[in-house]
Amino acid sequence: MAYNLKTLTEKEERFTGGHRMCAGCGAPIVVRTVLRALKPEDHAVIGVATGCLEVSTCLYPYTAWKDSFIHSAFENAAATVSGAEAAYRALSKVGKVKGTTKFIAFGGDGGTYDIGFQALSGAMERGHDMVYVCYDNEAYMNTGIQRSSSTPKYADTTTSPAGSELPGKVQFKKDLTMIMAAHNIPYVAQTAPFRNLKDLYEKAEKAIYTPGPAFLNVLAPCPRGWRYDTPKLMEIVRLAIETCVWPLYEVIEGKFILNYKPKNKLPVVEYLKPQGRFRHLFTKENEGLIDEIQKEVDRRWNRLLELCGEA
Amino acid sequence: MTKERKMNIREDMSWRDMPQGGHIIDAGNAEDFKTGDWRSMRPVWLQDKCKQCLLCWPVCPDMAIPVEEGKRKDFDFDHCKGCGICVEVCPFKAIDFVEEE
Amino acid sequence: MAIKDKLSGNEAIAVAMRQIDPDVVAAFPITPSTEVPQYFSQFVANGQVHTEFVAVESEHSAMSACIGAEAAGARTMTATSSQGLALMWEMLYIAASMRLPIVMAVINRALSGPINIHNDHSDSMGARDSGWIQLYCENNQEAYDNLIQAIRIAEHKDVQLPVMVCYDGFITSHAVENIELLEDEKVKEFVGEYKPQYSLLDKDHPISMGPLDMPAYYFEHKRAQAEAMKNAKRVILEVAQEFEKLTGRKYGYFEEYKMEDAEVGIVIMNSTAGTAKFVVNELRKQGIKAGLIKLRVFRPFPFEELGKALSHLKAVAIMDKADSFSTAGGPLFTEVRSAMFDYARDTKAVSYIYGLGGRDVRPDEIMKVYQDLLEIARTGQVKSTFNYLGVRE
């Protein structure tokens, strides 16, 4: 079915207002779009890693989730959901549960790239029929903007602060989507809330309804941590995509497919400039650092083009 | 607008009257919690300029743009936090953004 | 008719698990518990159970997957030891607070460091305040019996708490002993069908589990959890009575061995109780009124019952196969003596820490403990409250 916003509004919202995520947070946009991809007749079990999303959407005695929800700890959303999925298989076998239940785990980059990486890798390798969605806001936002392995190079965070000796985080961002692709699971995609959210919605739908494990890495800007004005969210995402900092692609049964190729690839500086976390890169002392970032972005982009047969 | 709920947890209640394990048995009851008073800025829907393209609808982090029969309505100000994402994505300048009174 | 067999403790546990036929088992190997998931996965491979076996990548994920499965309404079991239990530590508390009746065999082994694969009770003692019910077993028969009872205790509507069934690494887990097994149908009937009150898979009643809980409610949730543990005290005895009707084997909070007229006694757990009973018999031959209490239920702690059971002794030694490094005795000592303050204030109590890291405990060493107690009983004087047994000083 062609992507059509009007038709989609007819589906019931499975995630409610009244959650306590910050104004302008990218994560709830990701969550509601992913859940919208569920068929209305299907039930979902959703597991969330400790983090902004969990503490803000399930704050006793309120829950913003209309499906079944479980949070247990920080590093184990994938393992927890894999257990629920195993239960579903066992109980379906003996006819104790009926109908279709889908299993979705959400984690931030902290709960996914870092502390939850082992559980994620394990659950994907074991082949559970589940989707793991990383809402990647590129730092540990829940505890107050500490660097993660997903934080981009030279970003200023509270544990990789820009100072007179160090210009922010000194390492490049871990390429988790590629690492998940190397798990050779049925479906891996990198996406973001872009334009009318078609890319994110369609990938969520494929991820949920492809049998076996699937992984979605979704860029989810954090206005506080990235330091831009909240209304700019979609513009920031657009710049991440048009500069090729965050390419949209998917890996289906090992085949790389590029989903969006900018007609006019923008220089990375366009993406860095509106964000306070990169402000220090525009001083005289830090000249040359943006070139370094550009070089790495180009290198990764060119490699992706090769993998996608677009070079 | 509070719907009928299966549990009515209050701060003066005994532990004996709460579901075990901290379980929340009213799915989606967060909508009873109003976040509208967080706003410092307020979106204003300019109905005459709105072409009902619905681009504003999916980008709202707070599900605060109700759509009925394919047409958006005025904001749900009980939940809108005034982030302004909808203001920026509107191609027709049909959403104003003003200081909250 | 009961089935007579010869099985190691781990085999007995695996057989009990096969008979229980849980919905999900998620486990990770660690010596000496490894055999449990090994035997069990063979049952899965042979189609002898309907269980989904989740071969997780760590014990942390084992307990996390058990939590997810149990929350989804599945009867869920696992097994671990030592570092594995330590790695689960965070999740143990969460399993208990979410009121998930997971049943886990803990094959007791020393905790690192230095690394040591042999038996002591540091692992499960470290988890004593995690909110799990803890049952301790002297031998393979008790391990088997306790595991079957554990399902009923855990899942009881007034309890809804996870249970650890603890037995000694290698000594019990690997030694082959005679055992009486129940028929498969009898176990199936005894444990019954699991009907969870809440389930993530109940699509007509979607539920959120594991919320952020602020000061306004957290304490109430913990209080409710404590009440469940209180209820477990009653349920443990009810289940034991039913089990006795089925098997003739009697279980309580603890076993009293030659305690009626005893003047001196020791309190001990797990396999060393066997050695100690031998010593009691030797002493009795000499006309010495020695007795023994083997604790089965450490959580909930039978405070009043145990305190009262010690009240007629002149002196008691509380034997810990774990050190708490408090300089004030092991964990069992601390709790037993606390109970004695209310119920056995005239009985002198001393602490012995023994057998750490699998150090053998010989009858002559236990004999020495009784001799110390007899000296205390005779003089009324305690020379040394805190003692180590069998270490080279």
Side-chain angles (χ1 to χ4, degrees), chain C residues 64-86:
Chain C
S64 302
C66 285
I67 286 170
E70 192 72 54
R75 182 176 273 159
T76 305
M77 302 182 79
T78 185
T80 195
S81 293
S82 183
Q83 305 309 114
L85 187 66

Side-chain angles (χ1 to χ4, degrees), chain C residues 209-239:
Chain C
M209 296 186 179
L212 173 66
D213 210 9
M214 299 300 272
Y217 301 108
Y218 178 89
F219 201 173
E220 276 67 29
H221 289 136
K222 287 287 137 186
R223 176 63 186 84
Q225 191 184 330
E227 190 71 8
M229 192 57 103
K230 250 169 143 176
N231 295 343
K233 275 198 74 178
R234 169 176 55 81
V235 171
I236 285 167
L237 294 186
E238 286 170 7
V239 171

Side-chain angles (χ1 to χ4, degrees), chain A residues 3 5-11 13 15-26 28-29 32-33 36 57-67 195-197 229-235, chain B residues 3 7 9 18-19 22-24 26-35 38 53-65 67 69-71 79 81-89 97:
Chain A
Y3 183 80
L5 283 179
K6 196 173 160 180
T7 319
L8 289 175
T9 59
E10 289 161 13
K11 282 180 146 181
E13 200 76 59
F15 184 65
T16 74
H19 63 71
R20 328 288 176 92
M21 300 292 268
C22 300
C25 174
I29 303 171
R32 66 183 288 215
T33 308
R36 196 178 305 133
T57 62
C58 192
L59 175 50
Y60 195 83
Y62 295 106
T63 179
W65 305 85
K66 287 192 185 170
D67 290 281
R195 293 182 171 170
N196 64 357
L197 307 195
D229 291 336
T230 54
K232 297 285 176 200
L233 181 128
M234 296 301 283
E235 173 64 3
Chain B
K3 291 183 185 160
M7 59 181 215
I9 303 291
M18 299 177 188
H23 302 339
I24 302 170
D26 275 313
N29 67 352
E31 64 189 358
D32 295 351
F33 188 85
K34 312 290 188 255
T35 50
W38 293 19
C53 71
L54 298 178
L55 277 174
C56 56
W57 167 72
V59 300
C60 174
D62 295 291
M63 284 57 73
I65 301 176
V67 177
E69 290 169 354
K71 291 202 166 20
H79 296 112
K81 293 170 187 156
C83 69
I85 294 173
C86 57
V87 178
E88 287 278 322
V89 299
F97 205 36

Side-chain angles (χ1 to χ4, degrees), chain C residues 7-25:
Chain C
L7 297 175
S8 73
N10 282 347
E11 277 178 298
I13 284 291
V15 166
M17 286 169 71
R18 176 183 61 69
Q19 295 178 316
I20 292 162
D21 192 8
D23 300 303
V24 175
V25 169

Side-chain angles (χ1 to χ4, degrees), chain A residues 20-89:
Chain A
R20 328 288 176 92
M21 300 292 268
C22 300
C25 174
I29 303 171
V30 173
V31 168
R32 66 183 288 215
T33 308
V34 169
L35 298 185
R36 196 178 305 133
L38 283 158
K39 292 177 188 162
E41 65 272 25
D42 290 350
H43 175 58
V45 169
I46 293 148
V48 177
T50 311
C52 296
L53 183 65
E54 190 277 322
V55 302
S56 306
T57 62
C58 192
L59 175 50
Y60 195 83
Y62 295 106
T63 179
W65 305 85
K66 287 192 185 170
D67 290 281
S68 294
F69 170 94
I70 182 166
H71 155 259
S72 65
F74 192 2
E75 66 279 52
N76 63 350
T80 306
V81 172
S82 80
E85 189 267 353
Y88 173 65
R89 275 185 284 136

